[in-house]
Amino acid sequence: MTKSVAVLGTGIMGAGMARSLLRAGLDVAVWNRSADKARPLGEEGARVADTPAEAVAGADVVLTVLFDADSTAEVVRGLDLAGAVWVQSGTVGLEGTERLVELAGSTPFVDAPVLGTRKPAEEGKLTVLAAGPREVRDRVAPVFEAIGSRTVWAGERPGDGHRLKLAANSWVLSITAATAQAVALTRGLGLAPEAFLDVIAGGPTDSGYAQAKGRAMIAGDFTPSFGIGGAVKDADLIMEAMRAAGTDDRLMRALHEQYRVAADHRGAEDMAAVVRAFGT
């Protein structure tokens, strides 16, 4: 029975997931390259490790929530994961997932990216998109139940979780940029930008995400929940997947450019800062 979890990577998502695991009563060890991002979790009951090897020692599940495939491979390579299940939740793309599966070797590997941002991560309300061997599902269930309100098993083939994640993120990137375009246009035409959000409110084209990101754009509050650097990275991964699938990537290329331009403006902000690329 899973009792101990090592969380490697305590950025926006990893820290929230670690807190959810602690609330569920699991023994949690955490590590982050920047120790100051892991240290506050020690005050909440986690064991803060100085090295990845120290964090994973004796863990039933090792949960990686790192930025990309390269950083994940760098951290995990050479670790002794004997007896553990590796749950990989960072968004690393399809080719990146293949590389990490190879790195896992005989260690059971579950491809488990998540849908959600800072608040759902903190509240244990993420959606887990999982793919991996049936025989380890009971072992990872306590982890998924702690961090998420829903687990969708896409299959047993590692990578299928990511296939769903990239499709879902293509929608998230699209709806956020479309909201930015409409907010900027409303303002540019001399109206209060709130008017756009009021018009769609409660109708078939409304969404909670559009409202939340739209309000943040209008207020100029770009406190990171889903970092804009991550949006640029994910757009790259989505384009790679689209080319591999033989689908047209012209829209995603345009979205990628808008997020890239906005990221170049200020750096570490929320993806809602894409509104800057529309001239406002």
Side-chain angles (χ1 to χ4, degrees):
M1 181 178 178
T2 293
K3 295 182 179 179
S4 61
V5 183
V7 180
L8 304 181
T10 56
I12 290 174
M13 299 300 289
M17 293 159 81
R19 290 187 175 97
S20 295
L21 293 165
L22 287 166
R23 282 197 307 274
L26 294 168
D27 177 35
V28 180
V30 297
W31 173 87
N32 195 76
R33 193 183 305 275
S34 300
D36 59 325
K37 291 185 177 181
R39 201 169 294 118
L41 292 164
E43 300 171 5
E44 300 177 46
R47 291 181 293 107
V48 181
D50 292 328
T51 65
E54 180 185 335
V56 305
D60 298 314
V61 172
V62 173
L63 174 64
T64 51
V65 200
L66 297 154
F67 185 70
D68 57 17
D70 289 341
S71 58
T72 304
E74 180 183 352
V75 168
V76 174
R77 186 176 288 112
L79 293 182
D80 181 4
L81 302 183
V85 178
W86 178 4
V87 174
Q88 204 305 104
S89 289
T91 304
V92 301
L94 301 182
E95 186 273 335
T97 298
E98 290 177 3
R99 282 198 283 138
L100 297 179
V101 169
E102 184 175 348
L103 180 62
S106 60
T107 299
F109 182 95
V110 179
D111 170 34
V114 297
L115 292 181
T117 54
R118 181 195 295 268
K119 192 169 185 288
E122 295 280 356
E123 295 176 347
K125 294 181 179 178
L126 297 167
T127 297
V128 181
L129 307 178
R134 288 185 179 276
E135 57 267 26
V136 301
R137 292 187 184 183
D138 287 344
R139 293 176 63 185
V140 299
V143 173
F144 292 168
E145 288 168 3
I147 66 174
S149 59
R150 182 184 180 206
T151 298
V152 178
W153 282 97
E156 295 192 67
R157 177 180 58 164
D160 281 353
H162 256 77
R163 289 177 176 88
L164 272 180
K165 173 65 185 284
L166 295 176
N169 269 17
S170 74
W171 170 242
V172 170
L173 296 181
S174 298
I175 198 170
T176 304
T179 301
Q181 175 179 260
V183 165
L185 179 58
T186 306
R187 179 180 280 149
L189 292 173
L191 299 174
E194 292 87 350
F196 159 68
L197 297 179
D198 291 343
V199 164
I200 65 170
T205 60
D206 194 15
S207 77
Y209 208 82
Q211 292 289 338
K213 293 300 183 186
R215 300 290 174 191
M217 293 169 190
I218 293 166
D221 180 4
F222 303 126
T223 303
S225 177
F226 183 147
I228 197 162
V232 175
K233 178 205 69 172
D234 288 2
D236 271 323
L237 297 176
I238 292 163
M239 286 190 292
E240 289 176 10
M242 294 181 83
R243 288 191 288 269
T247 59
D248 193 306
D249 69 349
R250 282 175 290 182
L251 175 58
M252 189 52 58
R253 278 187 278 132
L255 293 172
H256 175 271
E257 178 63 10
Q258 295 300 86
Y259 284 105
R260 186 197 62 76
V261 168
D264 287 347
H265 275 294
R266 299 293 178 92
E269 293 183 316
D270 187 75
M271 67 186 301
V274 70
V275 71
R276 298 189 194 280
F278 291 93
T280 184

